């Protein structure tokens, strides 16, 4: 198996560990991780115009408008380090964003190769988010906001898996287990699809 550009998306409910696993997998495959949540949080922390525009939306657990989010992703994907593959974390998150991404990638003659879905039961996600709230004090990890974010996931994000499923690119992985166990399952699922990692996961 030779390493070739791989374009990945990682999807999972809040608290599924997708952020942590996304970083691991991106490192293993030698590609940049593009996390819209991280981009927004960094802009909020730096007090940029974008940060000021999105702060209250993120704090409430709602989705940032599609046009704004898609523009952020397009800019990031246009950076040279994303030419030979990337891992998207948290985008697309609804059907409109799937269309935006399709259109953008088509213009580059590219497409997503695999969509990794981290399957974690709702109760487990909630328990992990409460733990993170205690440890990191994120404004969007309160009970009310957690419930809002999980219902957005179920109503808006889960349906995108139907679209990617018809393309045959969805790899569902059991997200319950240690970090190493789950990372190992993701790498195995990608290798089974013919994608070779470039470093130890
Ligand atoms: P995350 O860290 O992926 O859970 O993202 C944190 C927050 O950023 C979300 O609750 C949304 O407010 C916002 N966000 C991240 N990605 C998107 C997206 N693709 N579309 C809209 N809003 C997003």
């Amino acid at each position: 198996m030779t390493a070739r550009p791989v374009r990945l998306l990682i999807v999972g409910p809040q608290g599924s560990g997708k952020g942590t696993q996304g970083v691991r997998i991106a490192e293993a495959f030698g590609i940049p991780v593009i996390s819209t949540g991280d981009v927004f949080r960094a802009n909020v922390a730096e007090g940029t115009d974008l940060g000021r525009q999105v702060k209250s939306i993120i704090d409430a657990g709602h989705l940032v408008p599609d046009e704004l989010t898609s523009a952020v992703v397009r800019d990031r994907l246009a950076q040279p380090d994303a030419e030979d593959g990337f891992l998207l974390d948290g985008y697309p998150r609804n059907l409109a964003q799937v269309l935006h991404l399709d259109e953008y990638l088509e213009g580059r003659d590219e497409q997503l190769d695999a969509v990794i879905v981290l399957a974690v039961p709702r109760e487990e996600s909630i328990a992990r988010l409460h733990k993170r709230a205690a440890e990191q004090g994120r404004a969007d990890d309160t009970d009310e906001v957690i419930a809002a974010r999980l219902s957005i996931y179920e109503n808006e994000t889960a349906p995108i898996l139907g679209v990617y499923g018809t393309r045959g690119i969805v790899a569902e992985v059991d997200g319950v287990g240690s970090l190493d166990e789950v990372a190992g399952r993701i790498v195995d699922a990608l290798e089974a699809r013919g994608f070779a990692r470039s470093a130890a996961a």
Side-chain angles (χ1 to χ4, degrees), residues 168-179:
I169 57 170
V170 171
E172 184 166 308
V173 171
D174 177 4
V176 181
S178 69
L179 286 183

Side-chain angles (χ1 to χ4, degrees), residues 14 18 35-38 40-41 57-58 61-64 66 69 89-93 97 138 140 149:
Q14 285 69 26
K18 72 180 168 59
S35 157
T36 41
D38 282 353
F40 289 141
R41 278 186 290 276
I57 302 174
I58 293 179
H62 298 147
L63 291 187
V64 172
D66 293 333
T69 308
D89 164 7
Y91 179 95
R93 226 173 174 103
Q97 294 179 8
R138 261 173 63 163
D140 58 354
R149 293 162 80 216

Side-chain angles (χ1 to χ4, degrees), residues 39-52:
V39 172
F40 289 141
R41 278 186 290 276
N43 276 275
V44 170
E46 287 164 23
T48 65
D49 281 350
L50 175 64
R52 278 193 291 278

Side-chain angles (χ1 to χ4, degrees), residues 8-173:
L8 305 173
L9 163 63
I10 189 162
V11 180
Q14 285 69 26
S16 61
K18 72 180 168 59
T20 311
Q21 292 297 342
V23 171
R24 298 270 300 252
I25 299 309
E27 264 170 25
F29 285 82
I31 50 179
V33 56
I34 299 176
S35 157
T36 41
D38 282 353
V39 172
F40 289 141
R41 278 186 290 276
N43 276 275
V44 170
E46 287 164 23
T48 65
D49 281 350
L50 175 64
R52 278 193 291 278
Q53 268 176 284
V54 302
K55 185 180 186 310
S56 60
I57 302 174
I58 293 179
D59 285 352
H62 298 147
L63 291 187
V64 172
D66 293 333
E67 284 299 337
L68 191 55
T69 308
S70 294
V72 163
V73 174
R74 281 198 305 270
D75 281 354
R76 181 62 189 87
L77 284 173
Q79 303 294 313
D81 66 337
E83 263 171 32
D84 290 324
F86 50 79
L87 179 143
L88 286 168
D89 164 7
Y91 179 95
R93 226 173 174 103
N94 60 25
L95 292 169
Q97 294 179 8
V98 169
L99 293 180
H100 275 285
L101 181 65
D102 278 350
E103 207 178 314
Y104 176 74
L105 290 180
E106 254 167 51
R108 290 166 53 142
D109 211 11
E110 293 174 0
Q111 57 193 23
L112 285 182
D113 296 306
V115 177
I116 304 152
V117 184
L118 277 184
V120 174
R122 199 173 210 273
E123 314 74 63
E124 171 88 14
S125 294
I126 292 174
R128 291 186 191 178
L129 288 169
H130 282 137
K131 189 160 172 267
R132 185 169 79 185
E135 287 166 3
Q136 299 178 10
R138 261 173 63 163
D140 58 354
D141 277 344
T142 61
D143 281 355
E144 206 187 348
V145 178
I146 287 171
R149 293 162 80 216
L150 284 173
S151 75
I152 290 178
Y153 180 79
E154 283 154 11
N155 297 326
E156 296 197 40
T157 306
I160 76 173
L161 301 178
V163 175
Y164 289 130
T166 61
R167 298 181 194 173
I169 57 170
V170 171
E172 184 166 308
V173 171

